[in-house]
Amino acid sequence: MTGTLAPFEADILEDLLRAQRGLDDAPAGNSPPRHPARRRIAASVVVAASLGATAVVVATSSSTSPSARPGTVGPHIEEPIHVLTVASITRRANAALGNVDDMVLQTHETRIRLTESGTVTDVYDTWSDRGDPEHSRTMYFRDGQPVYDLQADSAAPSEMFVDYLKRTWYENPTIDYSHGHLLGSTPDQIREQLSTGQLSFVGHETIDGRDTLHLSRHDIAPLTGDLWVDTATYLVVRSRNAIGTTDYTWLARNADSRSKLVPEVPAGFTFAGRIPETPANPDGSVG
């Protein structure tokens, strides 16, 4: 994967590659056998030093050099140096975020907070669909136990609310609302994180079997943190900061993904009529 370089960076890289090719093609003469791999490593160091923090040499191709016959300098297949820049990663990630209107976004956010009674783990599972009508659903868990399940609409406070603490559920008449950009808020938040201008490339990491590019942020807390970008889609799949960690799953919009937008009412819960005006306090209480 090759990132797009600034003109001066591309010139530096081209000069280095041209010099390397010149060394590779020069007659051997009486010189001792050369070491292409060593030259490639040296060139990589020079490229990284020349381009500074904006570019990192991440890999070479999988081609290998055939074994040379004893006493001869064998031919080798030149392995191109691949340079990946933070600018190229963020540019592609922003472009990918422009094509998510036909997706259902699932987020899994974990926060750890201290209370007078001890440490509490809050988990928010949210599904958002920027369709017509737009909907979102959020399940809140405290220390692993469900507290509430709320279906929200783009223009109304809510349509369905399941209160696990009181074992009741509420429902308002379904109304068709559109153009509220429920899903749009999350891509905008991710764009804000990508546009900080203080990102550095940490390296490749595997998350749930996916190859990702790990970017580290260096700015004012709590924004300081990390982002992981899928190398296949360039969509952000994880973010982490001082507040907590959020995993993003981008689902194709279909019957299965849209079914996740509707809360499930457990057996034995009592229907309590219309949703209270303030159904979702932080502690899960109603009213």
Side-chain angles (χ1 to χ4, degrees):
M1 184 182 310
T2 304
T4 302
L5 305 180
F8 78 94
E9 296 173 332
D11 291 342
I12 293 172
L13 180 59
E14 180 58 30
D15 289 343
L16 289 167
L17 293 177
R18 189 182 300 111
Q20 178 180 322
R21 286 194 293 269
L23 288 173
D24 291 342
D25 296 336
N30 296 322
S31 301
R34 295 170 295 164
H35 300 279
R38 186 176 302 166
R39 284 199 309 278
R40 283 191 293 276
I41 293 172
S44 299
V45 174
V46 174
V47 171
S50 300
L51 302 186
T54 61
V56 180
V57 177
V58 294
T60 59
S61 70
S62 59
S63 58
T64 57
S65 301
S67 300
R69 295 189 302 274
T72 66
V73 179
H76 70 275
I77 301 173
E78 185 174 322
E79 300 176 14
I81 300 171
H82 289 182
V83 178
L84 194 62
T85 67
V86 171
S88 70
I89 297 172
T90 56
R91 181 168 54 254
R92 295 180 186 185
N94 275 307
L97 289 170
N99 297 295
V100 295
D101 282 358
D102 292 330
M103 294 182 177
V104 172
L105 172 60
Q106 178 182 348
T107 60
H108 179 80
E109 181 179 3
T110 303
R111 301 179 184 177
I112 308 295
R113 57 186 172 93
L114 296 177
T115 66
E116 294 181 356
S117 57
T119 302
V120 175
T121 300
D122 296 320
V123 173
Y124 298 86
D125 283 329
T126 300
W127 295 262
S128 301
D129 178 23
R130 192 172 173 171
D132 187 10
E134 297 182 308
H135 289 294
S136 73
R137 171 195 174 192
T138 298
M139 284 198 72
Y140 167 58
F141 298 82
R142 185 172 57 223
D143 290 334
Q145 300 301 314
V147 177
Y148 65 75
D149 192 348
L150 173 67
Q151 180 185 15
D153 192 274
S154 56
S158 55
E159 288 185 327
M160 186 173 181
F161 177 66
V162 181
D163 187 337
Y164 280 82
L165 300 182
K166 294 185 176 181
R167 297 178 60 83
T168 58
W169 65 284
Y170 309 82
E171 188 172 23
N172 279 352
T174 300
I175 304 174
D176 183 1
Y177 294 101
S178 1
H179 314 299
H181 308 299
L182 285 174
L183 181 57
S185 62
T186 299
D188 289 343
Q189 292 167 1
I190 296 174
R191 286 190 183 96
E192 182 180 354
Q193 296 180 65
L194 289 168
S195 64
T196 175
Q198 300 181 55
L199 289 168
S200 62
F201 178 56
V202 178
H204 286 261
E205 292 183 18
T206 301
I207 296 179
D208 296 332
R210 292 173 294 186
D211 183 35
T212 69
L213 303 169
H214 181 184
L215 300 175
S216 181
R217 297 188 61 183
H218 313 283
D219 44 295
I220 302 173
L223 297 179
T224 299
D226 300 87
L227 293 165
W228 286 263
V229 180
D230 191 309
T231 58
T233 64
Y234 276 89
L235 288 169
V236 171
V237 297
R238 176 173 291 175
S239 65
R240 179 180 296 156
N241 56 32
I243 297 175
T245 300
T246 302
D247 288 318
Y248 306 90
T249 303
W250 306 85
L251 306 169
R253 181 188 291 141
N254 52 37
D256 181 59
S257 61
R258 286 185 61 84
S259 69
K260 301 181 185 301
L261 297 165
V262 181
E264 298 179 2
V265 180
F269 277 41
T270 303
F271 178 63
R274 292 181 63 86
I275 304 172
E277 291 186 5
T278 55
N281 293 331
D283 62 355
S285 62
V286 236

